[in-house]
Amino acid sequence: MAETEQPPKKLSDLGVRLASAVVLGPVVLAIAYFGGLAFTLLMLVAAMLFLWEWFSMTGTPLKSVTSVIGQGVMLVIAALHAAGMPEAGLGALLLGALAVFAFSGFSRSGRWGAEGTLYSGLALFSLLALREGSGGLLFIFFLLFVVWATDIFAYFTGRALGGPKLWARVSPKKTWSGAIGGLLLATLFGTGVAYFAGASDLVFWALLAAALSVVSQAGDLLESAIKRRFDVKDSSKLIPGHGGIMDRIDGLVAAAIFAVLLGLVAGGALSDPIAGLGLT
């Protein structure tokens, strides 16, 4: 009896990746559209899973006091945001990260745990602030489409064209062709979102999309460097075909934090950072 022919592994993996994206993408967009408590809870869960994966990869015991403190900080940030006190959430984040480091005996693993707490907490704060600020619905959709376009088109362009590696020691599969393809298409998609939303000054939006695309790719490389440092292939196996939460939102996290910093430098407030970008 002839054996059943199995599909090539790469093709099979790609099918699983696409199926997961088709299921998760519309859910995220719908929750982002409605905002409010649903969006806060979604971001909280994502931040807690992100931190759990960070702790798992870097050796922070998941049942330790430091892990409990780190996860508790995420809850506090979300609660204070819902109560209209986002600035207090940042204060809690700094104290919590210091506590994680202290309760680990100021060890090297404790430093990684504190850094993960800071990064996860800043991501949570940033995504909540961006969505709830002036022009938040437009901006969060703009951000999501820029990051997703970067990820998708970098993947397909890199596979199709190949060429020199972007940073072979950290991420052997990433190429310059993929990075440039992701940048160009993300800029196009971001500008398209702004255009259909009726935004003015499309040149500004195009430049912002390009900057966010570059930063999202830097966030992807940062996670790759951490995984290589700890000899981990995927942050976890939570999402079929995609690995873990960190593997999917590493670029979004970096881009969101960058957007908030950019808005604050431009004159925005912690409660409404993108107001400084003139997007009201």
Side-chain angles (χ1 to χ4, degrees):
M1 182 176 178
E3 293 184 3
T4 303
E5 184 178 349
Q6 296 296 322
K9 188 176 187 302
K10 287 185 178 180
L11 183 59
S12 178
D13 288 347
L14 178 59
V16 176
R17 289 169 66 94
L18 289 174
S20 297
V22 167
V23 171
L24 295 174
V27 172
V28 172
L29 288 174
I31 294 175
Y33 175 80
F34 288 106
L37 181 60
F39 185 77
T40 299
L41 290 175
L42 177 65
M43 294 301 100
L44 172 61
V45 170
M48 295 182 76
L49 289 174
F50 188 99
L51 184 56
W52 170 72
E53 291 176 347
W54 182 293
F55 284 162
S56 298
M57 289 194 302
T58 59
T60 300
L62 298 178
K63 295 182 179 180
S64 63
V65 173
T66 53
S67 178
V68 172
I69 292 172
Q71 296 292 5
V73 170
M74 301 304 113
L75 288 167
V76 170
I77 291 172
L80 289 173
H81 174 85
M85 297 184 291
E87 297 87 349
L90 281 182
L93 173 59
L94 293 174
L95 291 175
L98 180 60
V100 168
F101 195 22
F103 273 92
S104 65
F106 299 101
S107 63
R108 178 176 297 181
S109 63
R111 187 200 72 193
W112 279 103
E115 291 170 349
T117 300
L118 276 174
Y119 198 42
S120 302
L122 285 174
L124 176 58
F125 171 86
S126 298
L127 287 163
L128 293 176
L130 291 173
R131 176 59 184 89
E132 299 304 321
S134 54
L137 179 58
L138 167 59
F139 195 85
I140 207 70
F141 269 70
F142 172 79
L143 179 65
L144 288 171
F145 274 91
V146 165
V147 172
W148 288 349
T150 299
D151 189 32
I152 293 168
F153 288 105
Y155 175 81
F156 283 107
T157 305
R159 283 174 61 93
L161 300 180
K165 303 301 182 182
L166 183 61
W167 192 358
R169 186 169 64 86
V170 167
S171 186
K173 294 183 179 180
K174 290 183 174 63
T175 62
W176 278 101
S177 64
I180 294 170
L183 169 62
L184 293 177
L185 270 297
T187 302
L188 180 62
F189 268 67
T191 307
V193 170
Y195 172 78
F196 284 109
S200 59
D201 196 359
L202 293 181
V203 172
F204 168 81
W205 284 93
L207 291 173
L208 182 58
L212 292 172
S213 177
V214 170
V215 173
S216 74
Q217 295 191 57
D220 194 345
L221 285 171
L222 172 62
E223 195 215 352
S224 295
I226 294 171
K227 290 194 293 186
R228 184 159 293 273
R229 164 68 174 77
F230 291 96
D231 194 24
V232 175
K233 183 180 183 297
D234 294 319
S235 58
S236 75
K237 299 186 182 300
L238 285 174
I239 307 175
H242 284 281
I245 294 295
M246 281 185 70
D247 298 322
R248 290 304 92 211
I249 67 171
D250 47 9
L252 177 64
V253 162
I257 294 173
F258 173 78
V260 167
L261 291 175
L262 186 64
L264 292 176
V265 169
L270 284 174
S271 58
D272 190 6
I274 59 173
L277 301 177
L279 307 180
T280 55

